[in-house]
Amino acid sequence: MWGFLKRPIVVTADINLSLVALTGMGLLSRLWRLTYPPAVVFDEVYYGQYISFYMKRIFFLDDSGPPFGHMVLALGGYLGGFDGHFLWNRIGAEYSSNVPVWSLRLLPALAGALSVPMAYQIVLELHFSHCAAMGAALLMLIENALITQSRLMLLESVLIFFNLLAVLSYLKFFNCQKHSPFSLSWWFWLTLTGVACSCAVGIKYMGMFTYVLMLVVAAVHAWHLIGDQTLSNVCVFCHLLARAVALLVIPVVLYLLFFYVHLILLFRSGPHDQIMSSAFQASLEGGLARITQGQPLEVAFGSQVTLRNIFGKPVPCWLHSHQDTYPMIYENGRGSSHQQQVTCYPFKDVNNWWIVKDPGRHQLVVSSPPRPVRHGDMVQLVHGMTTRSLNTEWSWGAPPSSGEA
């Protein structure tokens, strides 16, 4: 029992010096003088504004791809203590002292550096020679475009990292399959494959190509398992179930989790609110929440509402008014009431809001308890910003003319 006290404890480890050297050279080439140039370069002007939104917790939605890549870049800003206060308006603008340039560029640089040893390992897992693996890694190391992208606040190096990680993980899983299926390492590499694929797709939709490649290869290998007469039906079912969970369920759950975290972090109103529903805008701090706060879900007298024509051409639009008035006399000599203009506006705007008023009362707020508007009730619409009432002109046998407030 006390035998370990009679002899020294010895720990042995196999260290691949080639792998260590490649990792060191990758880190040196990507991290050396990382803050140079100390100015906005290329698409840093694009991604930088989203990092500032994350730091300020302002909602945004980038139509170029999912939010995971932006969150990775924002993590670098968070670690560096960035407060988000910088005007990302032009390429070449000098960074101010409050912008942690090294921290913002760190994670893309680390991803680019680690891609070098991963390329080496992928070639080895494919059972090519050591010289072939070194050649592939050196090509990754000295490729000028990869170095440049890795040293800037861009998503390409992070995308390449997760693509390579997915391929490497699946190759290690497949090689484990030959001698130790369902072992701890077998589960680890299979699960990591699904996680890496989800991260790649979560950065840019181009990662879907790698994900589809992994699914096709996994499907071919699963087909071979089904035809393996040495495996029982239960064993084959367990193999298929494990692959389905790791390569289908986990990536989908993670992909949805990226958006969940994105929405949890960004709770303040911002410039991209207009593309979202009114209900979503009302959930954000500031913006339309200032209007809809305390409003009943059911339309009542005093409610503030927007009216949208979903059949509007060329696009649907909202009933809108503003302080500008119609001219006294048009160019053709026709006169007008010179009242406030009422239009159909295709964008969400604070001037789209109207108050549902009881014509028999002067009250413009919701009473307590609220008085719901029922079918057949007569209502009056009052413009929320200017408190002018909406007027319409009717003629027998014709639709109403343009509204005035």
Side-chain angles (χ1 to χ4, degrees):
M1 178 178 179
W2 301 97
F4 70 93
L5 296 176
K6 299 178 181 179
R7 54 183 179 272
I9 299 176
V10 179
V11 177
T12 59
D14 293 329
I15 299 177
N16 189 331
L17 294 181
S18 298
L19 190 62
V20 173
L22 289 171
T23 304
M25 289 188 291
L27 291 171
L28 179 63
S29 62
R30 269 66 175 179
L31 296 178
W32 181 68
R33 297 188 65 190
L34 187 59
T35 57
Y36 181 83
V40 179
V41 180
F42 191 48
D43 272 356
E44 286 186 336
V45 71
Y46 176 75
Y47 296 114
Q49 60 181 322
Y50 296 131
I51 295 175
S52 290
F53 286 151
Y54 273 116
M55 297 301 103
K56 298 176 181 178
R57 302 295 190 265
I58 294 176
F59 172 77
F60 74 90
L61 190 62
D62 182 14
D63 56 5
S64 67
F68 179 65
H70 301 334
M71 288 192 287
V72 170
L73 297 180
L75 176 61
Y78 175 78
L79 296 176
F82 183 41
D83 57 9
H85 294 288
F86 181 77
L87 187 59
W88 308 88
N89 60 348
R90 65 181 179 88
I91 297 174
E94 294 285 335
Y95 284 119
S96 56
S97 58
N98 70 305
V99 181
V101 182
W102 190 87
S103 179
L104 287 171
R105 293 174 176 173
L106 175 62
L107 295 181
L110 289 177
L114 295 178
S115 297
V116 176
M118 274 202 292
Y120 172 83
Q121 289 185 293
I122 287 174
V123 178
L124 286 184
E125 292 294 329
L126 289 171
H127 306 295
F128 287 96
S129 66
H130 170 75
C131 290
M134 285 294 295
L138 289 175
L139 290 175
M140 291 283 293
L141 176 67
I142 64 176
E143 167 56 40
N144 186 54
L146 294 179
I147 295 175
T148 302
Q149 291 176 338
S150 301
R151 292 177 55 83
L152 299 174
M153 196 195 328
L154 305 175
L155 293 180
E156 281 70 23
S157 64
V158 185
L159 174 63
I160 292 172
F161 169 81
F162 282 109
N163 284 335
L164 293 177
L165 181 61
V167 174
L168 176 62
S169 300
Y170 188 84
L171 289 173
K172 285 187 172 293
F173 153 75
F174 179 72
N175 290 330
C176 286
Q177 169 75 26
K178 298 176 181 178
H179 6 312
S180 53
F182 299 107
S183 64
L184 186 61
S185 60
W186 185 90
W187 279 108
F188 173 78
W189 291 116
L190 177 60
T191 305
L192 187 58
T193 302
V195 171
C197 287
S198 182
C199 291
V201 176
I203 293 171
K204 285 190 175 183
Y205 286 125
M206 288 185 293
M208 184 64 71
F209 291 104
T210 301
Y211 183 36
V212 171
L213 173 64
M214 295 297 98
L215 290 179
V216 170
V217 174
V220 172
H221 291 163
W223 180 257
H224 292 161
L225 284 174
I226 294 175
D228 191 343
Q229 298 297 321
T230 63
L231 299 177
S232 65
N233 292 336
V234 174
C235 183
V236 171
F237 175 77
C238 291
H239 274 288
L240 298 179
L241 181 62
R243 286 160 172 78
V245 171
L247 300 181
L248 294 175
V249 177
I250 291 179
V252 171
V253 172
L254 271 181
Y255 179 79
L256 297 177
L257 183 63
F258 297 150
F259 284 93
Y260 176 79
V261 174
H262 176 78
L263 296 175
I264 288 296
L265 291 176
L266 308 181
F267 55 85
R268 294 194 175 102
S269 176
H272 296 171
D273 297 359
Q274 293 184 356
I275 61 177
M276 306 301 289
S277 67
S278 297
F280 179 84
Q281 293 181 62
S283 69
L284 298 175
E285 182 180 301
L288 292 184
R290 294 175 296 180
I291 298 176
T292 59
Q293 187 174 14
Q295 294 288 311
L297 295 178
E298 187 178 11
V299 177
F301 288 104
S303 291
Q304 301 186 49
V305 300
T306 58
L307 301 176
R308 187 186 188 197
N309 177 16
I310 61 173
F311 300 106
K313 300 295 183 181
V315 293
C317 54
W318 284 266
L319 184 65
H320 176 94
S321 185
H322 40 245
Q323 291 183 345
D324 295 336
T325 59
Y326 291 104
M328 289 290 291
I329 300 177
Y330 290 98
E331 293 180 357
N332 60 3
R334 182 173 62 89
S336 78
S337 63
H338 195 55
Q339 292 188 11
Q340 192 168 296
Q341 295 177 2
V342 176
T343 62
C344 197
Y345 191 58
F347 304 102
K348 292 188 177 181
D349 186 82
V350 71
N351 283 311
N352 298 347
W353 287 85
W354 300 82
I355 301 173
V356 181
K357 179 180 177 296
D358 185 347
R361 300 188 181 187
H362 296 291
Q363 188 176 4
L364 293 179
V365 295
V366 179
S367 59
S368 181
R371 295 172 51 225
V373 176
R374 302 300 184 189
H375 177 66
D377 286 347
M378 185 173 292
V379 300
Q380 187 177 16
L381 294 180
V382 178
H383 190 237
M385 297 300 294
T386 60
T387 67
R388 301 292 298 274
S389 299
L390 178 68
N391 301 326
T392 57
E393 299 176 2
W394 291 80
S395 60
W396 291 105
S401 62
S402 60
E404 297 178 343

